[in-house]
Amino acid sequence: FANIGVSRVPLDPPVAHAGDIVTLTGVPESMRVGDTLTSTENKVPAAVTTPPLAPPTLSCLFGANNGPLSGREGTIVASSRVRARLVSETDNNVTLAVEKSESDAEKTVVYGRGELQIGILVEQMRREGYEMVITPPRILTTTCPATGSKLEPYEEVIVDVDSEYSGTVVNALTGSRRGVLVEMSDDARGKARLKFEVPSRGLLGFGPEIATATRGTAVMHHCYLEDREYAGNITRGGGSSGRGKLVSNENGKATLFALESLSARGTLFVAPGDVVYPGMVVGENNKSGDLEVNPVRAKATSNMRTQAKDEKLYLPPPKRMSVEELIGYMNEDEVIEVTPLSVRLRKSELDAGVRERLARTRKKQRDAALKEKGGGKGGKGGKR
């Protein structure tokens, strides 16, 4: 069969030419991508050389939805069904790799080339009725066999943007994201082409951020380059930029009265009538640190008259983010809850008390590590 547009038609006579996209039936399981297929009459002398596939750069954990709203919107919620669907995806998408998680038997590790590829897979699955949770992405690092140093993937990034926004793109990629500007050129139409070499970690969440900064005029393409020395700490946009989250501490439907007062504290992710539960992220805080809020609080009904009794409440529209945007936005202690009807961001630990104890423990560990590191440096130099 030959693919012509969006249709698949039989080849008559069965002859295909260079550039044609064809589909074969009765192909054995032993055949893989990159194999050369030839006829018995006109055999080719040698197999066609196939360029190697670019390796995956990040991984995410997929698991069954274990939130309070599990099973209400989707029809497939079992972790075994989710894993079987992910494994079947590798038959058609050879750039994906799937394996069982070693730390949690109920979860599956998915290796991909970026948040866009993972986001497309999740969107396909949610339309098929699946419910699942996705953990924050982790960049795949390796160890240099010669020096023993830590290596991470670097990517070549090409950005076409209006010349007036070229400085914005350069500052965004070469600052805290640790990118290097390799080449820059302008044309007579007022467009600039910028070529960078950036760690894959620095590209997480960059697409939506630069689209907003350049008013949608930037077109970005990136591909795997090679593994290089670990670039150190990288500060990216979204939840890692220093702002905290507005986290719900009540269960129910969000009310206009409560959200109107919360809108002054940050950017909201939910609208009146949306179902929320404790631990669910309902917005982004204007200040650093997470803030527990009550988005279901209703206006008290009494016979007391107030000046603002008949005052109308105005609420800006909520900020809705796709799965791809949330993958680059969420923090390490958060997960994405995906159902056929909703995409929610929530804390991996829903209990506020447990989250607070874990945060104190992590802070003590960081302080102890910094103290040990500082003590080592000071002890080497001695007193002066």
Side-chain angles (χ1 to χ4, degrees):
F1 300 89
N3 293 351
I4 300 178
V6 295
S7 304
R8 182 179 295 175
V9 298
L11 278 176
D12 188 22
V15 177
H17 303 278
D20 291 344
I21 301 176
V22 297
T23 304
L24 305 177
T25 59
V27 177
E29 291 292 334
S30 58
M31 185 173 292
R32 293 291 182 265
V33 173
D35 292 347
T36 299
L37 186 65
T38 181
S39 64
T40 56
E41 299 176 357
N42 301 319
K43 296 182 180 180
V44 295
V48 178
T49 303
T50 305
L53 295 174
T57 58
L58 59 82
S59 66
C60 290
L61 282 175
F62 282 59
N65 183 11
N66 55 359
L69 305 180
S70 173
R72 294 191 183 183
E73 300 177 356
T75 57
I76 307 175
V77 296
S79 60
S80 58
R81 298 283 300 276
V82 174
R83 178 176 299 156
R85 173 63 178 84
L86 293 171
V87 172
S88 66
E89 181 68 20
T90 59
D91 295 337
N92 300 323
N93 194 342
V94 296
T95 59
L96 279 178
V98 174
E99 67 179 25
K100 188 175 180 179
S101 173
E102 297 180 357
S103 58
D104 190 343
E106 297 295 324
K107 293 186 178 180
T108 306
V109 187
V110 178
Y111 300 93
R113 292 184 180 178
E115 59 230 81
L116 176 59
Q117 187 180 29
I118 301 294
I120 292 174
L121 172 60
V122 173
E123 287 291 341
Q124 290 176 344
M125 294 180 64
R126 66 179 290 215
R127 293 176 185 179
E128 297 171 6
Y130 286 86
E131 284 192 11
M132 72 205 86
V133 292
I134 301 105
T135 64
R138 296 189 178 276
I139 297 298
L140 304 179
T141 59
T142 57
T143 303
C144 179
T147 62
S149 58
K150 189 177 181 180
L151 304 178
E152 66 174 332
Y154 270 69
E155 300 191 37
E156 181 184 72
V157 183
I158 298 177
V159 181
D160 293 321
V161 67
D162 291 347
S163 298
E164 59 179 310
Y165 297 114
S166 59
T168 303
V169 178
V170 172
N171 291 335
L173 278 177
T174 60
S176 59
R177 293 181 182 271
R178 303 298 182 95
V180 177
L181 179 63
V182 178
E183 184 180 334
M184 179 177 180
S185 59
D186 296 318
D187 59 17
R189 298 175 298 172
K191 291 284 187 178
R193 168 162 289 192
L194 311 173
K195 183 184 290 187
F196 301 87
E197 293 179 358
V198 189
S200 296
R201 287 184 299 138
L203 293 179
L204 292 176
F206 177 71
E209 176 186 330
I210 205 61
T212 303
T214 62
R215 299 185 179 181
T217 62
V219 178
M220 181 180 67
H221 171 266
H222 59 94
C223 61
Y224 173 78
L225 193 62
E226 62 181 355
D227 287 343
R228 294 181 183 175
E229 189 116 5
Y230 194 74
N233 187 36
I234 288 180
T235 303
R236 54 184 173 88
S240 301
S241 61
R243 293 185 179 183
K245 304 292 175 60
L246 302 177
V247 185
S248 172
N249 59 8
E250 291 292 339
N251 194 12
K253 290 186 177 181
T255 62
L256 176 61
F257 178 75
L259 295 181
E260 196 275 336
S261 60
L262 293 178
S263 61
R265 295 182 175 271
T267 304
L268 296 178
F269 298 159
V270 296
D274 290 350
V275 179
V276 299
Y277 53 83
M280 177 178 167
V281 177
V282 297
E284 182 182 90
N285 193 4
N286 286 334
K287 300 180 181 180
S288 60
D290 294 340
L291 180 64
E292 299 281 335
V293 297
N294 182 4
V296 303
R297 180 168 56 93
K299 187 175 182 179
T301 55
S302 66
N303 59 355
M304 297 295 294
R305 295 187 179 183
T306 62
Q307 184 179 1
K309 175 185 175 183
D310 298 326
E311 182 180 349
K312 291 184 179 180
L313 299 178
Y314 296 95
L315 187 68
K319 181 180 180 181
R320 304 290 190 182
M321 289 189 283
S322 64
V323 177
E324 175 195 352
E325 293 172 334
L326 286 174
I327 289 176
Y329 175 80
M330 61 177 169
N331 286 332
E332 290 295 326
D333 62 340
E334 297 166 352
V335 295
I336 305 174
E337 180 181 312
V338 180
T339 69
L341 302 180
S342 307
V343 177
R344 305 180 183 94
L345 183 65
R346 67 172 174 87
K347 296 294 182 179
S348 56
E349 177 55 59
L350 299 179
D351 190 293
V354 176
R355 288 201 306 270
E356 188 175 350
R357 289 194 295 269
L358 291 176
R360 287 198 300 264
T361 303
R362 286 194 295 265
K363 186 177 183 301
K364 289 181 181 179
Q365 293 174 349
R366 287 196 302 266
D367 293 342
L370 292 174
K371 186 176 180 181
E372 182 180 355
K373 186 177 180 180
K377 291 183 177 179
K380 186 176 180 180
K383 294 183 179 180
R384 294 184 181 180

